[in-house]
Amino acid sequence: MKLPKIKKFPFTDILGWSVSRFDTFSNCQRQYFYNYYPRYDRENPAEKIQKLKALTSYALEVGNIVHDSIRDILLRLKKSSKPISKPNFMKYVRNMTEKYCNTKTFCEVYYKQKDTITVDEVFLQVEKILENFLGSDRLKWIFETALKEKDNWIVEPEGFGETRINEYKAYCKVDFLIPADDKIYILDWKTGKQDLKKHTKQLVGYSLWASYHFGVASSSIIPTVVYLNPGYFEQEITITDDMLSDFQKQVEEETKVMYDYLKNIEHNVPKEKDCFAKTDKEIFCKYCNFRELCGNDAN
């Protein structure tokens, strides 16, 4: 199956819906403001907010390294179908882990929850997760079936996965898309806890992204969420017409809710920060990069 090129869009300021964006908005509107509108804060310098936004965490960094390692495996397979040398690969991943950890500040260390997070402890977890991937039937399938279409693979496409859903701007960036056997397979890697409700929502979005850009029917798209930790488990999602219709309505409704917090929708200019309420759920504060801006930097 030869896929057409991904469609391009002219730049616009108007906000674009995504699962992560609306999740942040739903969890804490103040965190949402700091994430997306730092230059409009009259109290804190944008540089300070950006510094806090750039903080990473142990779990986040493990996920970043695993995703980037699998991406690099797939990009290598597009060039060569030789078997993967596990020792060489893990050496490569270890070097990546050192680079990532040494160039970032961990939230747990910044807020004095831990004295340090070492490269060794991050790599140990990354290695366990990647062992699950390397030993999976899915990787065997990639070698035995998907390699035939490697010229049509889409591996973490450039940009943010911009698309249109009911004419609303949206972002749905796939991890890995493979045409094979007259179907389009979408694989989404997860290193955190299983959350099929949330992840099904993402995969419906990825299916609409593929349908929009490649002009294929949703019935020919097979999206699968792949859980890599603590063991390997994947769940294929069956997309129905009702799911697609409900999702499109949900994107429209959630976009309009976020629009309500703008004083200029076309240019994506927010209302004053005080309009963005702080959450009353302490669990979100505990893991928020911006907690010190709210006077909540306790462990």
Side-chain angles (χ1 to χ4, degrees):
M1 181 187 295
K2 178 66 175 178
L3 296 178
K5 291 184 178 180
I6 297 172
K7 296 174 183 178
K8 303 290 185 181
F9 301 94
F11 174 79
T12 60
D13 288 318
I14 197 165
L15 74 79
W17 176 96
S18 71
V19 169
S20 59
R21 182 173 189 136
F22 192 75
D23 277 353
T24 302
F25 177 88
S26 301
N27 292 339
C28 178
Q29 293 169 12
R30 184 61 56 88
Q31 183 189 61
Y32 173 81
F33 178 87
Y34 288 137
N35 257 305
Y36 293 97
Y37 303 107
R39 67 191 180 98
Y40 293 99
D41 190 346
R42 299 174 185 271
E43 294 180 292
N44 303 289
E47 295 80 6
K48 171 69 172 178
I49 301 175
Q50 292 291 3
K51 178 182 177 182
L52 294 175
K53 183 178 179 179
L55 294 175
T56 191
S57 68
Y58 172 81
L60 179 61
E61 214 50 40
V62 166
N64 288 338
I65 296 165
V66 168
H67 273 77
D68 290 356
S69 298
I70 295 176
R71 174 202 65 198
D72 291 351
I73 283 180
L74 298 173
L75 291 175
R76 199 276 275 171
L77 288 177
K78 281 175 64 71
K79 298 177 181 178
S80 170
S81 58
K82 291 181 180 179
I84 298 165
S85 167
K86 188 182 295 186
N88 290 343
F89 174 62
M90 288 304 180
K91 182 179 179 181
Y92 174 83
V93 174
R94 169 74 191 202
N95 290 335
M96 180 190 293
T97 304
E98 289 183 6
K99 178 181 177 182
Y100 283 31
C101 291
N102 292 335
T103 55
K104 298 180 182 181
T105 301
F106 285 88
C107 191
E108 296 93 334
V109 176
Y110 183 85
Y111 283 110
K112 298 180 173 57
Q113 294 167 308
K114 296 191 70 173
D115 292 332
T116 185
I117 291 178
T118 67
V119 171
D120 285 344
E121 63 184 300
V122 174
F123 176 69
L124 181 64
Q125 181 67 1
V126 168
E127 185 179 33
K128 288 178 181 178
I129 295 173
L130 288 174
E131 288 277 3
N132 292 336
F133 174 73
L134 293 175
S136 69
D137 289 338
R138 178 59 69 183
L139 183 58
K140 293 178 185 177
W141 176 85
I142 289 172
F143 270 101
E144 295 171 0
T145 301
L147 270 176
K148 301 169 189 175
E149 294 281 357
K150 64 181 181 180
D151 291 340
N152 281 314
W153 286 5
I154 294 176
V155 183
E156 293 193 15
E158 293 182 359
F160 301 98
E162 185 172 347
T163 190
R164 296 292 181 269
I165 298 175
N166 277 1
E167 303 305 317
Y168 288 91
K169 184 197 288 187
Y171 295 105
C172 306
K173 185 170 181 176
V174 300
D175 285 344
F176 187 29
L177 183 147
I178 319 162
D181 301 326
D182 296 322
K183 300 288 185 181
I184 289 181
Y185 294 83
I186 296 174
L187 302 177
D188 192 48
W189 323 114
K190 300 297 182 187
T191 57
K193 66 180 181 179
Q194 295 183 18
D195 187 341
L196 275 178
K197 181 179 179 181
K198 175 181 177 180
H199 299 147
T200 295
K201 183 179 179 181
Q202 287 181 311
L203 286 163
V204 174
Y206 297 154
S207 298
L208 281 172
W209 177 88
S211 180
Y212 181 88
H213 284 274
F214 306 131
V216 294
S218 58
S219 58
S220 67
I221 300 171
I222 302 176
T224 301
V225 58
V226 181
Y227 295 106
L228 298 167
N229 182 45
Y232 188 96
F233 170 76
E234 61 178 52
Q235 179 67 55
E236 183 180 303
I237 307 299
T238 301
I239 305 294
T240 66
D241 289 342
D242 285 344
M243 288 171 66
L244 293 174
S245 178
D246 290 345
F247 180 84
Q248 290 169 329
K249 291 177 183 176
Q250 189 174 15
V251 168
E252 181 175 350
E253 291 169 359
E254 292 176 356
T255 300
K256 288 180 177 178
V257 169
M258 292 187 287
Y259 280 174
D260 286 342
Y261 286 76
L262 301 175
K263 58 185 178 183
N264 186 310
I265 294 175
E266 183 179 356
H267 295 290
N268 196 17
V269 178
K271 295 179 178 178
E272 295 301 316
K273 182 173 70 174
D274 288 346
C275 296
F276 294 79
K278 300 177 185 179
T279 183
D280 58 2
K281 297 179 181 178
E282 293 184 4
I283 187 65
F284 294 126
C285 300
K286 183 177 179 180
Y287 299 102
C288 178
N289 288 19
F290 308 106
R291 70 193 80 162
E292 73 176 55
L293 301 181
C294 298
N296 181 13
D297 58 358
N299 292 343

